[in-house]
Amino acid sequence: MRTLLVEDDARLAELVGEALRRHGWLVDVVGSCADAYAALRSADYRVMVLDLGLPDGDGISLVRGLRMVGDPLPILILTARGRVAERIAGLNAGADDYVVKPCAAAELHARMRALTRRAAGAASPTLRLGPLEYDQSSRMASVNGAALRLTLRPSMVLETLLLARGRFVPRATIENALSNFEGGPESGAIEVYVNRLRKALEAAAPDVRIENQRGFGYRIVHAATGADS
């Protein structure tokens, strides 16, 4: 999943970004409020991790600005400011979570996953469709309890389709989910990843299928109902 990390300390941004990438996140890093706004205009993110002490303003103002225009993006503040009053101010401004540095990478990953689950309306980290199960925390898929072997990008395509709950997902949305500032899938790669996923499902769960419709994109359905179930 794609996240925006707003951190002006280059070394810390590198460490946090690399830790998140090891947990499977696609991370774009910016170092100011202005760059954060520019990034948000150019791409869709599942969550933002935000430092408060930025060179062109306080991160709290960025949170307030996004909430004033009705942007529902999950925001996790990651800062060295740990006083109770500061935490309250961050949450009251509209942040969804507040974490004081230093923070273990595994905890940060878990908190970000919890935010994206809530935003998607999924209380559990496990997404289900007929006999198919997908654990968002481990990125492991299974059919009737047997592991479904997928490489990273087909697995991310599966997650994106399952989160759509039977709705068509535009190709551009899938491309965005697999992209970051360092580059995204090459032209035609989305079809390759979808086909790999489709073949894996055909072999293990023939009643779960991926449909595509020109102009609408892709969706995943369970043949028993023709929709997500």
Side-chain angles (χ1 to χ4, degrees), residues 3-226:
T3 185
L4 180 63
L5 172 61
V6 188
E7 170 62 67
D8 68 320
D9 184 315
R11 179 56 179 161
L12 185 56
E14 180 183 356
L15 292 173
V16 174
E18 182 56 34
L20 292 177
R21 291 183 186 101
R22 287 198 298 269
H23 281 87
W25 293 87
L26 295 168
V27 183
D28 293 340
V29 181
V30 297
S32 68
C33 292
D35 288 343
Y37 277 120
L40 292 168
R41 286 193 297 268
S42 66
D44 294 323
Y45 294 96
R46 296 289 298 281
V47 63
M48 179 167 69
V49 178
L50 173 68
D51 185 26
L52 293 182
L54 298 172
D56 58 347
D58 195 289
I60 293 292
S61 64
L62 178 58
V63 176
R64 290 198 181 103
L66 293 175
R67 296 311 187 223
M68 284 179 64
V69 298
D71 192 324
L73 175 69
I75 300 173
L76 183 150
I77 291 175
L78 179 64
T79 180
R81 302 179 190 176
R83 292 185 301 170
V84 172
E86 292 168 327
R87 297 181 190 185
I88 292 172
L91 295 170
N92 284 344
D96 300 279
D97 200 356
Y98 193 110
V99 180
V100 178
K101 303 172 184 175
C103 173
E107 179 185 355
L108 181 60
H109 165 68
R111 287 176 177 271
M112 292 167 65
R113 282 289 187 177
L115 291 183
T116 59
R117 286 199 303 273
R118 288 201 292 271
S124 168
T126 302
L127 303 173
R128 296 179 175 85
L129 180 64
L132 173 66
E133 292 190 356
Y134 180 84
D135 188 318
Q136 296 181 81
S137 299
S138 64
R139 283 206 166 95
M140 298 295 293
S142 63
V143 176
N144 293 320
L148 184 67
R149 299 190 181 279
L150 298 171
T151 55
L152 178 60
R153 287 197 166 180
S155 174
M156 294 171 70
V157 171
L158 175 60
E159 181 177 20
T160 302
L161 295 178
L162 287 172
L163 285 169
R165 300 175 181 271
R167 299 185 300 275
F168 280 100
V169 180
R171 186 180 187 280
T173 300
I174 299 175
E175 286 181 339
N176 181 77
L178 303 185
S179 301
N180 61 17
F181 283 173
E182 285 70 41
E186 296 180 359
S187 177
I190 296 300
E191 286 76 11
V192 172
Y193 301 137
V194 169
N195 285 336
R196 288 178 185 172
L197 175 59
R198 183 179 276 133
K199 289 179 179 178
L201 291 173
E202 286 174 351
D207 55 341
V208 176
R209 65 177 184 266
I210 296 175
E211 300 177 341
N212 62 287
Q213 186 170 336
R214 188 177 182 85
F216 288 88
Y218 299 90
R219 71 172 179 172
I220 189 168
V221 298
H222 185 214
T225 61

